[in-house]
Amino acid sequence: MFADLCSNPKVLKNTLELGYTRIGYETRTDRKPTKMAEISPPPQDLIEKYQNFHLPSGNPLGSSIKFYSRLTFHYAKGELNQLLTSGNAVLQSYDLIAIEPKDEASFRFACTLAEVDIITFDCSQKTNFAIKTGLVKQAIARGIFFELKYTQGIAGSSCEHLISTGTKLALVTKGKNIIFSGGSDVAHHLRGPHDIINLGVMIGLSTDNARKAVTVNPASAVLHGETRRTAKGAIGVMNTSKMNGEEQKWRIDGYSPNSSSDAMEE
Amino acid sequence: METHNSNFPLSNSPDATGRLHNQIIKNFFPMSRRYCYQCIHRKARFRPRLGTEITMVRIKHRYILGEVKSGIDLNKSGERGFINLVTQQIRFFHGEYGVGALQHGMRVIYLNPSTGTFLLKTARSSCRAVWSSLTLTRERGNQSVQIVVLHVSGTIKQAKEAALQYNQNIILVEEEEKEEENI
């Protein structure tokens, strides 16, 4: 139910203990990822291990753990603009794509034209660019989410910049389309989801919107990523060898649940 | 002993005049009369309930149940050390004004040095500000501190239930992990 879309495999156990069930692993680049080797998919062994994990929040039936892969571009000016509108196959293999704009030009591009799901802010320093209402409105209309990493207020020397960008965002977005996530690989920087909801309230969101920022909005961002990958959100392509479970295998021609696995490999 | 003035303003909330009415009835009217002449003419739901306490406005509190996961040695510092930490953090984030405003209703009700679990009582209005300074604590001296808030409630009873639930879940998780290791 609670999501942390910018996590690290090192602190997996801590994030699960705190109650997060939707976890995203981040790869950061400021260059074009040209080779498949540069992608790091979510760690399969950890997924298998934690499939039946009962979480401290006490809801064994509801909360299954899901992992997402995410790619973050941090760049300035217009270096990677073309890449982000191209529909590159390498990019399409990630569940989520994020931009961390470093100046006004990249922020403008991210809000208006880029095919991304999340716009991140670097809260360890003051933002170079102004967060303009018009651009933010356009981004919200396109279904893009604005992300704040709360660990940057805890790891550094002051939480000043986190709160200043947070209040500015809360004002400009009117509370919609905001996501909170951790962005640290150090365990004692992480905080529980209710703490983060309270931080959202202190920033200026309503309690409802602050709660959405940790539960509903990350799920919406993942959905947005799915629609980005499918053609206009209507048609999807799936590799048959990667299909698991009854709910997906019925789609294969000639599949019946009692038959042997040979028939399914066609 | 106050006389029962006919011009006495009867407020709508029975709680406010409850005890006064009980005293009046005891001292002025015979045992058989349950309500004074004015109250009997009020609608039944606005009559002061017998045996009610006198408090004009209920002062409400919030109880923050949390866990200090790492960093401080609570055996050494104890409750005083913990309160000092919290006020230090409030001073850091909300300044002198914050300390003045938020320190008022703040008290440690329960502190377990070995597990790090604490129950902090705050005034209802200052709960969120205190909570935010707890979550943003980063270090004390040289050590990095992590405080996680588990439950915020209006009564100690609910906080106790939440703490029990949390501990039960931890035990469940540990048992499952042991089973998986054995398998």
Side-chain angles (χ1 to χ4, degrees), chain A residues 68-114:
Chain A
Y68 305 113
S69 55
R70 168 191 157 152
L71 185 58
T72 309
F73 292 99
H74 57 278
Y75 70 101
K77 297 177 188 174
E79 292 163 1
L80 295 175
N81 285 357
Q82 205 181 18
L83 175 68
L84 287 160
T85 45
S86 61
N88 195 341
V90 164
L91 296 187
Q92 302 305 343
S93 59
Y94 280 91
D95 297 317
L96 293 162
I97 294 185
I99 282 187
E100 190 180 307
K102 295 213 159 176
D103 69 343
E104 201 172 322
S106 47
F107 181 64
R108 176 178 295 273
F109 178 74
C111 291
T112 50
L113 292 173

Side-chain angles (χ1 to χ4, degrees), chain B residues 64-124:
Chain B
I64 300 177
L65 174 75
E67 190 180 341
V68 178
K69 291 220 162 172
S70 63
I72 328 173
D73 188 9
L74 288 168
N75 286 311
K76 268 191 210 168
S77 43
E79 291 187 8
R80 215 174 231 193
F82 182 71
I83 275 279
N84 282 338
L85 169 73
V86 179
T87 44
Q88 185 194 46
Q89 294 304 321
I90 294 174
R91 192 183 298 275
F92 190 72
F93 292 108
H94 301 285
E96 292 172 9
Y97 171 76
V99 174
L102 307 181
Q103 205 179 27
H104 169 67
M106 223 169 51
R107 229 182 75 194
V108 174
I109 305 274
Y110 171 79
L111 181 65
N112 188 338
S114 45
T115 59
T117 320
F118 65 87
L119 187 64
L120 189 70
K121 177 179 177 180
T122 61
R124 190 174 64 148

Side-chain angles (χ1 to χ4, degrees), chain A residues 13 17-18 49 52-58 153-159 162-163 187-192 194-195 198-199 201-202 207, chain B residues 69-70 92-94 127-138 144-150 165-166 169-170 172-173 176-177 180:
Chain A
K13 193 165 183 221
E17 263 176 29
L18 287 170
K49 185 185 172 191
N52 296 316
F53 198 79
H54 285 198
L55 296 159
S57 54
I154 296 170
S157 54
S158 75
C159 63
L162 168 69
I163 292 185
H188 56 255
H189 288 160
L190 297 174
R191 298 289 183 265
H194 296 284
D195 294 324
N198 185 50
L199 259 184
V201 174
M202 295 301 285
T207 39
Chain B
K69 291 220 162 172
S70 63
F92 190 72
F93 292 108
H94 301 285
C127 169
R128 285 203 184 270
V130 171
W131 186 358
S132 67
S133 35
L134 281 176
T135 58
L136 288 169
T137 56
R138 17 186 121 78
S144 55
V145 180
Q146 184 187 24
I147 297 179
V148 173
V149 167
L150 306 167
Q165 186 76 35
Y166 178 68
N169 288 329
I170 289 178
L172 279 174
V173 164
E176 272 202 31
E177 282 186 346
E180 281 185 22

Side-chain angles (χ1 to χ4, degrees), chain B:
Chain B
M1 195 128 6
E2 295 178 34
T3 52
H4 187 44
N5 191 354
S6 58
N7 294 328
F8 190 87
L10 292 171
S11 62
N12 272 338
S13 66
D15 294 339
T17 53
R19 187 187 275 177
L20 197 60
H21 270 270
N22 286 341
Q23 282 174 350
I24 289 161
I25 291 165
K26 264 191 229 169
N27 293 310
F28 281 101
F29 297 113
M31 293 287 280
S32 50
R33 173 156 283 275
R34 299 192 95 229
Y35 296 103
C36 70
Y37 296 109
Q38 278 182 325
C39 293
I40 206 78
H41 286 293
R42 299 161 93 184
K43 288 187 182 176
R45 65 188 165 118
F46 292 121
R47 282 183 205 144
R49 282 174 219 121
L50 300 173
T52 51
E53 290 294 302
I54 205 173
T55 43
M56 294 299 277
V57 174
R58 248 179 72 202
I59 297 172
K60 298 183 181 179
H61 305 279
R62 284 284 176 266
Y63 296 92
I64 300 177
L65 174 75
E67 190 180 341
V68 178
K69 291 220 162 172
S70 63
I72 328 173
D73 188 9
L74 288 168
N75 286 311
K76 268 191 210 168
S77 43
E79 291 187 8
R80 215 174 231 193
F82 182 71
I83 275 279
N84 282 338
L85 169 73
V86 179
T87 44
Q88 185 194 46
Q89 294 304 321
I90 294 174
R91 192 183 298 275
F92 190 72
F93 292 108
H94 301 285
E96 292 172 9
Y97 171 76
V99 174
L102 307 181
Q103 205 179 27
H104 169 67
M106 223 169 51
R107 229 182 75 194
V108 174
I109 305 274
Y110 171 79
L111 181 65
N112 188 338
S114 45
T115 59
T117 320
F118 65 87
L119 187 64
L120 189 70
K121 177 179 177 180
T122 61
R124 190 174 64 148
S125 51
S126 51
C127 169
R128 285 203 184 270
V130 171
W131 186 358
S132 67
S133 35
L134 281 176
T135 58
L136 288 169
T137 56
R138 17 186 121 78
E139 55 190 17
R140 182 180 178 80
N142 296 326
Q143 283 184 316
S144 55
V145 180
Q146 184 187 24
I147 297 179
V148 173
V149 167
L150 306 167
H151 193 77
V152 174
S153 59
T155 56
I156 295 182
K157 186 180 173 189
Q158 287 174 353
K160 183 182 168 188
E161 284 172 15
L164 284 173
Q165 186 76 35
Y166 178 68
N167 289 328
Q168 275 174 12
N169 288 329
I170 289 178
I171 290 170
L172 279 174
V173 164
E174 276 179 15
E175 278 178 6
E176 272 202 31
E177 282 186 346
K178 275 184 194 170
E179 278 177 24
E180 281 185 22
E181 273 173 30
N182 289 338
I183 292 168

Side-chain angles (χ1 to χ4, degrees), chain A residues 170-231:
Chain A
L171 199 67
V172 152
T173 61
K174 294 182 194 167
K176 295 170 78 175
N177 285 37
I178 292 185
I179 293 180
F180 288 113
S181 54
S184 165
D185 55 352
V186 182
H188 56 255
H189 288 160
L190 297 174
R191 298 289 183 265
H194 296 284
D195 294 324
I196 305 307
I197 293 170
N198 185 50
L199 259 184
V201 174
M202 295 301 285
I203 276 175
L205 302 172
S206 66
T207 39
D208 207 25
N209 282 329
R211 199 180 167 81
K212 278 184 193 171
V214 189
T215 53
V216 169
N217 287 348
S220 305
V222 171
L223 270 182
H224 188 265
E226 275 188 42
T227 55
R228 174 180 44 82
R229 286 183 287 160
T230 61

